[in-house]
Amino acid sequence: MCGIVGYVGRRPCRDLLVAGLEKLEYRGYDSAGIAVLEGDRVETVRAVGNLANLRSAVEERVGEGGVAVADPPATTGIAHTRWATHGRVTEENAHPHSDCSGRIQIALNGIVENHHDLRPRLEAEGHTFSSETDAEIVAHLIELHYDGDLTAAVRATAADLRGHYAFVAMHADEPELLVGARKECPLIVGLGDDESFLASAIPAFMAETRRTMFVEEGEIVTIDPSGATITDGDGTPIERDTEEVTWNEDAAEKGGYDTFMLKEIHEQPEAVAETVGDRVTPEGTIDLSDVELSDEYLCEISRIVIVACGTSYHAGLIGRYAIEEWARVPVEMDVASEYRYRNPVVGPSDLVIGVSQSGETADTLAAMRLAREAGAKVLAVTNVMGSQATRDSDAVLYTRAGPEISVASTKTFVSQAAAMYLLGLRIAQLRETLSAERVAELANELRGMPDRIAETLARVEEPVAEIAKRHYKQGFFLYLGRHIGLPICLEGALKLKEISYIPTDAYAAGEMKHGPIALLDESTPAICVATDSPVLDKVLSNIEECRVRGADVVAVATEGNEAVAKVSEETIFIPRTDWILQPILAILPLQLFAYCIARLNDLNVDQPRNLAKTVTVE
Ligand code: AGP
């Protein structure tokens, strides 16, 4: 998830663009760049790190007599702030990227999934690449298609691309316009007086204009100082109304949502789309070539150990169920703060996986180092390129959720679960513990998950808010789940604890009769994860055990499974998928439930008490 902003108008654009990037920094901040056009000269300045580094790089360039960035006169330009997914955090990999001539510049947000196919083709045609990114391909494709009409070249380029992205292009031969294209990633026009903006999100230009135009799926947009023209994939013009944005600055940063947590809950489709992205091939196989673990190695490991903390531990737990179920490799699971001090038995035949969204959690890093010192190979599953976890490991499997601001993790959890599924399927594919047809079936379901997530959020948001209204004054909640439902009940309980401060207990439902059942009475709300699974019958009888003691059962179930509704006070249905993939959907109503209860108790969900986003202390 990156941020793009483009400007074409009468005003010097350099500072306008950098100011726009500052409003988009929540989308990515590991490197940034700007390319501006003066006459037919293009000047590009890029820098690693946050925007302050870009500002000083621009000043430096002005000092060196950089014409186009000099003030005034450049009035056309594009800029980008990056959250790396393909290619390390370097200046060469920062956007904007150019074609071989340097006259075409592009900035892209998202992923070009067929970059593995397109790059060798372009290299065979004599194109030279200067970065490791998938995005640079777009600049060379535009160069390939360009015949004096940038809009046509962008349209032809978009037809070659597979993935989910939005990009903006600029050509020195056409200094008075910018052209953009989108597929699944956001792109918005800002219309000013004799000037126009193109950006990934409204905050980028909201200080300058509130008149917007939304670019829809598969459309091409051309802006110049006088306005915007939208066409479809065949070049047919499309009429589009403008809309006036009424948000205040704070709401703008949250994309119009009240809080970062709610914004990030609604970013989960995009987070999983990016994380799965080019790792499921059109043939339905799993491609983890971006993870430096050889096929031979993945075939020979005798045991996997997963270490993590908090929400990441729960994502790891989903990984255990999936990897054992699909790849038949034994998986041991432990909280890192225990693992690092219990003198664990670990060695060269083990693969140890450290799951950490920040990549900076001290306990998880220490557990990873311990395992590495004992000769085990270590894989980091992290969301942050360049984080410590990437240095304390032999290989990295990146989730691609973009920056997560709210302390309570949501989109990084579902991205971690998706990453675990990808790894489980890859090992099963290599070891042939699943047939190629079965791998393809599950891989295609995983690729369809972003739509399932969007569907679930749209379907459950209101009913969950109603259920929360009936429970927000409760003093205790019991969460129950079994098998693949257990990590979800643990995560649901953690979300409620950390943002509403209400005590909860989360238990493997089969354990209830061994003690926690004593907690149940007429007032106890029992939140039960009862999605389809090999043990659903058992879960149904556990729900009965709760009900006969008067507990108020709220269940999450797979659509069409009325048996659960018959034994629960309230049932939240989620779309049907393969049972083992249900956790990615089942957590959504529980995230929203915790969120609503915290909001009804008027609590600050983005900055809960006593908690930090990254726990770097021992
Ligand atoms: C989850 O909402 C919390 N922020 C916390 O439990 C978190 O998951 C834990 O601190 C681990 O963080 P990490 O994924 O960055 O390692």
Side-chain angles (χ1 to χ4, degrees):
M1 202 168 126
C2 306
I4 306 170
V5 56
Y7 173 88
V8 56
R10 306 296 169 218
R11 292 192 281 164
C13 64
R14 185 194 72 196
D15 296 345
L16 277 174
L17 291 171
V18 176
L21 286 185
E22 268 151 10
K23 294 292 177 199
L24 296 180
E25 228 175 347
Y26 67 86
R27 299 179 61 87
Y29 43 72
D30 59 39
S31 50
I34 176 175
V36 294
L37 190 50
E38 187 268 320
D40 78 341
R41 273 186 59 130
V42 178
E43 193 109 31
T44 303
V45 183
R46 301 181 289 187
V48 169
N50 63 27
L51 288 175
N53 295 5
L54 180 66
R55 274 194 185 283
S56 38
V58 166
E59 291 314 320
E60 224 175 276
R61 182 66 62 83
V62 171
E64 293 157 4
V67 177
V69 289
D71 200 12
T75 58
T76 300
I78 59 176
H80 183 272
T81 180
R82 185 174 186 231
W83 183 261
T85 59
H86 286 74
R88 292 160 299 137
V89 177
T90 63
E91 194 181 319
E92 293 70 35
N93 289 338
H95 301 213
H97 289 294
S98 75
D99 68 324
C100 301
S101 72
R103 299 181 65 73
I104 296 170
Q105 299 281 332
I106 68 101
L108 178 136
N109 165 37
I111 289 184
V112 176
E113 288 174 13
N114 56 342
H115 64 101
H116 289 306
D117 311 334
L118 292 168
R119 189 166 177 143
R121 204 180 101 198
L122 287 160
E123 283 168 341
E125 305 224 4
H127 290 260
T128 47
F129 284 74
S130 55
S131 80
E132 303 159 342
T133 67
D134 53 329
E136 186 187 346
I137 278 162
V138 173
H140 294 279
L141 281 173
I142 294 173
E143 179 182 12
L144 190 75
H145 293 300
Y146 189 73
D147 184 15
D149 177 347
L150 185 58
T151 303
V154 165
R155 185 172 304 111
T157 295
D160 289 338
L161 301 177
R162 189 166 44 75
H164 57 282
Y165 54 80
F167 67 84
V168 177
M170 176 171 91
H171 197 309
D173 294 357
E174 300 181 65
E176 288 268 306
L177 59 82
L178 296 178
V179 182
R182 74 154 289 195
K183 187 167 174 303
E184 294 179 33
C185 289
L187 196 58
I188 303 145
V189 177
L191 298 166
D193 301 330
D194 214 9
E195 59 184 18
S196 304
F197 295 81
L198 253 185
S200 306
I202 290 168
F205 55 70
M206 206 177 82
E208 308 303 328
T209 177
R210 287 171 172 270
R211 240 165 19 96
T212 63
M213 200 185 263
F214 289 85
V215 183
E216 299 301 339
E217 193 61 9
E219 293 177 348
I220 308 294
V221 57
T222 304
I223 65 167
D224 60 31
S226 66
T229 310
I230 295 184
T231 51
D232 66 12
D234 309 323
T236 314
I238 296 171
E239 283 309 310
R240 179 70 33 79
D241 297 338
T242 63
E243 295 177 38
E244 197 71 22
V245 174
T246 56
W247 298 338
N248 64 32
E249 285 287 321
D250 179 53
E253 214 185 340
K254 296 176 181 129
Y257 292 98
D258 291 348
T259 63
F260 281 111
M261 183 176 177
L262 192 59
K263 174 177 146 311
E264 287 157 6
I265 284 176
H266 286 278
E267 283 172 352
Q268 297 185 100
E270 197 179 341
V272 170
E274 295 235 354
T275 300
V276 173
D278 53 355
R279 292 161 168 165
V280 173
T281 68
E283 299 72 41
T285 61
I286 304 296
D287 172 353
L288 289 183
S289 52
D290 59 330
V291 179
E292 289 161 19
L293 291 175
S294 69
D295 296 354
E296 297 66 44
Y297 174 76
L298 288 175
C299 284
E300 74 200 19
I301 36 180
S302 56
R303 181 180 66 155
I304 290 176
V305 179
I306 303 177
V307 290
C309 303
T311 288
S312 295
Y313 171 83
H314 300 146
L317 206 46
I318 293 174
R320 178 174 79 172
Y321 285 101
I323 294 170
E324 290 200 342
E325 176 74 23
W326 292 334
R328 310 310 292 151
V329 176
V331 179
E332 192 185 298
M333 184 82 222
D334 209 345
V335 286
S337 52
E338 280 301 310
Y339 187 81
R340 60 178 295 192
Y341 294 117
R342 70 171 172 82
N343 190 14
V345 179
V346 61
S349 62
D350 295 323
L351 169 64
V352 173
I353 305 177
V355 185
S356 171
Q357 78 84 17
S358 62
E360 304 292 348
T361 299
D363 287 321
T364 307
L365 295 175
M368 291 162 70
R369 288 188 201 122
L370 177 154
R372 225 171 169 206
E373 281 145 25
K377 244 198 198 347
V378 172
L379 169 68
V381 175
T382 186
N383 195 49
V384 182
M385 215 171 250
S387 60
Q388 187 58 39
T390 65
R391 292 189 287 279
D392 287 337
S393 54
D394 303 288
V396 185
L397 170 48
Y398 285 105
T399 55
R400 301 167 174 159
E404 189 171 62
I405 313 285
S406 177
V407 168
S409 299
T410 52
K411 63 176 181 172
T412 54
F413 174 69
V414 291
S415 305
Q416 288 166 339
M420 284 293 156
Y421 286 135
L422 287 167
L423 185 65
L425 283 176
R426 176 68 184 157
I427 300 174
Q429 181 181 297
L430 289 170
R431 293 180 173 223
E432 297 178 354
T433 48
L434 289 179
S435 67
E437 295 70 34
R438 181 75 178 124
V439 170
E441 196 185 316
L442 289 160
N444 291 330
E445 274 220 64
L446 202 49
R447 195 201 340 252
M449 264 303 169
D451 296 341
R452 293 289 84 60
I453 295 172
E455 190 188 327
T456 308
L457 289 170
R459 183 192 290 191
V460 306
E461 191 153 15
E462 265 168 51
V464 167
E466 288 311 308
I467 296 171
K469 283 190 191 130
R470 286 194 280 282
H471 293 286
Y472 76 99
K473 290 202 171 65
Q474 291 281 1
F476 170 75
F477 288 80
L478 180 66
Y479 283 71
L480 297 170
R482 280 183 94 138
H483 200 291
I484 198 86
L486 177 59
I488 297 308
C489 98
L490 291 167
E491 177 57 11
L494 175 62
K495 287 281 105 46
L496 190 66
K497 267 196 274 272
E498 65 180 318
I499 63 174
S500 76
Y501 321 146
I502 298 173
T504 67
D505 219 341
Y507 253 85
E511 267 298 285
M512 245 217 326
K513 53 187 170 297
H514 304 291
I517 200 163
L519 291 167
L520 296 177
D521 64 18
E522 287 69 35
S523 67
T524 316
I527 313 297
C528 300
V529 180
T531 54
D532 285 7
S533 81
V535 293
L536 181 57
D537 293 349
K538 306 274 179 252
V539 175
L540 289 173
S541 51
N542 296 135
I543 292 179
E544 280 293 358
E545 286 170 1
C546 294
R547 289 195 63 208
V548 294
R549 288 166 181 77
D552 186 343
V553 174
V554 178
V556 178
T558 305
E559 72 186 342
N561 203 325
E562 295 309 323
V564 178
K566 287 206 185 79
V567 294
S568 309
E569 265 68 42
E570 288 140 317
T571 305
I572 305 157
F573 286 106
I574 59 171
R576 178 171 295 282
T577 66
D578 187 280
W579 66 267
I580 208 163
L581 299 176
Q582 286 273 282
I584 286 192
L585 302 181
I587 191 56
L588 305 172
L590 300 185
Q591 291 168 342
L592 288 165
F593 184 66
Y595 179 81
C596 294
I597 290 204
R599 297 291 282 170
L600 288 163
N601 286 301
D602 211 11
L603 295 168
N604 174 349
V605 295
D606 283 339
Q607 282 297 331
R609 70 184 185 195
N610 307 338
L611 285 175
K613 181 64 186 169
T614 304
V615 184
T616 54
V617 290
E618 302 285 335

